[in-house]
């Protein structure tokens, strides 16, 4: 078997989402995805990229992480800082920085993502995996923090959800719902109740980020994407009612949902269309 992966980009930035938001992170963006969510903002990763061996990927990650080594054995931060998940995450355990996240595209489409994650864990990195939820997560190294989407109706890809993944979730994993409409919210709330997700792991409600003009209702972000890739995205199903970020926050409070509201911090710090951040 080849020891390479098709990589779109590798870069150092701040983690913009999840319970790890705000922390330094090396991102490994893999090429290819078999979903075409209406709101996708990384459609450039559907086809753009080149082969890299696992050894070269590891070398690049170590290079980007190198400056953090000057802090020595005193690791920056601890999981106790991350909120109410502290018990599930063994509060007080040192957390090495930077984090390393595999994202995409869809990382699990490439089988060599599994040995890469294992090697990164063996190197003592805290590894995150962003996955669509359409692929089997059971083979992922248990040391990896899996951030798994459940696709809501406005994505156009809700039929692709692999609910068989839910029994494989651990307390250190996270489930993310990307929400842009009232129908998304109601559907997500129903899944939380049906599968008792809040008792399994942290649950994230991520608002669909708009274009820079920021209208009152969400508009899918499809920036810096070639026309052929952009044109393959699904349309939001007819009859959906847009939901503003304020309305989403207020619904969470009104329904007393045990979830974490989040926005994509990197799109606030840098231009929404900028890559490599």
């Amino acid at each position: 078997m080849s020891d390479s992966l098709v990589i779109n980009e590798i870069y150092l930035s701040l983690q913009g989402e999840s319970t790890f938001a705000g922390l330094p992170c090396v991102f490994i963006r893999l090429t290819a995805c078999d979903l075409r969510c209406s709101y996708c903002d990384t459609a450039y990763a559907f086809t753009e990229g080149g082969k890299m061996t696992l050894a070269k990927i590891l070398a690049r990650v170590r290079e980007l992480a190198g400056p953090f080594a000057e802090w020595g054995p005193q690791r920056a931060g601890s999981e106790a800082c991350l909120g109410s998940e502290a018990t599930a995450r063994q509060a007080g355990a040192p957390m090495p920085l930077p984090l390393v996240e595999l994202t995409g595209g869809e990382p699990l489409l490439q089988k060599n993502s599994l040995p890469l994650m294992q090697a990164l864990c063996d190197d003592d990195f805290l590894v995150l995996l962003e996955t669509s939820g359409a692929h089997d997560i059971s083979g992922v190294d248990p040391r990896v923090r899996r951030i798994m989407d459940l696709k809501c109706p406005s994505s156009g890809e809700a039929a692709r959800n692999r609910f068989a993944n839910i029994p494989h979730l651990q307390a250190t994993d996270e489930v993310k719902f990307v929400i842009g409409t009232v129908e998304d919210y109601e559907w997500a709330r129903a899944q939380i109740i049906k599968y008792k997700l809040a008792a399994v792991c942290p649950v994230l409600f991520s608002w669909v980020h708009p274009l820079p003009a920021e209208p009152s209702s969400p508009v899918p972000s499809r920036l810096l994407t070639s026309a052929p890739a952009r044109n393959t995205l699904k349309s939001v199903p007819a009859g959906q009612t847009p939901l503003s970020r304020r309305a989403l926050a207020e619904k969470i409070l009104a329904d007393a949902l045990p979830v974490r509201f989040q926005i994509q911090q990197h799109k606030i710090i840098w231009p929404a269309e900028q890559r490599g951040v």
Side-chain angles (χ1 to χ4, degrees):
M1 183 176 68
S2 169
D3 68 344
S4 65
L5 287 161
V6 184
I7 300 296
N8 176 268
E9 56 186 348
I10 301 176
Y11 60 93
L12 175 67
S13 186
L14 297 180
Q15 176 60 240
E17 303 180 76
S18 79
T19 62
F20 297 92
L23 294 174
C25 183
V26 175
F27 291 88
I28 306 172
R29 187 179 304 284
L30 282 74
T31 300
C33 185
D34 56 344
L35 301 188
R36 293 294 183 266
C37 298
S38 63
Y39 47 73
C40 182
D41 56 2
T42 55
Y44 59 84
F46 292 167
T47 56
E48 296 179 18
K51 282 189 176 182
M52 290 182 69
T53 64
L54 297 187
K56 287 187 176 181
I57 297 169
L58 289 167
R60 179 59 177 153
V61 171
R62 291 167 186 152
E63 178 186 4
L64 291 171
F68 290 85
E70 68 181 57
W71 293 98
Q74 184 177 9
R75 304 289 179 88
S78 87
E79 296 190 56
C81 300
L82 293 176
S84 61
E85 301 88 6
T87 301
R89 295 179 180 281
Q90 298 179 336
M95 182 169 59
L97 294 177
L99 311 169
V100 178
E101 176 175 294
L102 273 70
T103 186
E106 171 50 63
L108 294 182
L109 276 179
Q110 299 190 54
K111 299 305 181 186
N112 277 340
S113 65
L114 298 179
L116 174 61
M117 286 184 278
Q118 182 177 5
L120 289 165
C121 290
D122 290 344
D123 261 10
D124 292 328
F125 287 107
L126 197 160
V127 181
L128 314 179
L129 168 67
E130 279 270 4
T131 180
S132 67
H135 297 274
D136 185 4
I137 66 171
S138 64
V140 176
D141 191 299
R143 295 172 291 179
V144 173
R145 312 303 178 91
R146 299 168 296 191
I147 303 167
M148 188 189 82
D149 278 21
L150 282 176
K151 298 298 184 184
C152 295
S154 75
S155 70
E157 293 285 17
R160 298 293 300 279
N161 285 317
R162 184 185 174 96
F163 291 100
N165 278 330
I166 292 176
H168 296 295
L169 292 170
Q170 304 177 125
T172 51
D173 296 324
E174 303 180 10
V175 171
K176 180 173 71 174
F177 296 91
V178 179
I179 295 176
T181 67
V182 172
E183 290 75 17
D184 288 346
Y185 177 84
E186 297 297 339
W187 184 87
R189 183 176 64 171
Q191 307 317 303
I192 292 170
I193 294 170
K194 179 178 180 179
Y195 294 102
K196 299 180 174 61
L197 291 176
V200 176
C201 64
V203 178
L204 314 171
F205 272 22
S206 182
W207 183 67
V208 175
H209 199 284
L211 295 168
E214 195 158 323
S216 59
S217 60
V219 175
S221 212
R222 300 175 181 179
L223 307 177
L224 265 189
T225 300
S226 64
R230 184 174 62 247
N231 291 340
T232 67
L233 301 183
K234 298 289 182 68
S235 297
V236 176
Q240 301 261 319
T241 305
L243 186 67
S244 70
R245 62 184 172 191
R246 175 174 174 175
L248 173 57
E250 290 174 348
K251 279 182 171 292
I252 290 170
L253 295 174
D255 290 341
L257 289 188
V259 304
R260 183 186 294 259
F261 174 84
Q262 64 169 26
I263 53 178
Q264 294 174 296
Q265 289 187 13
H266 50 288
K267 291 185 178 179
I268 298 172
I269 301 169
W270 293 282
E273 72 276 9
Q274 187 167 328
R275 299 191 195 182
V277 294

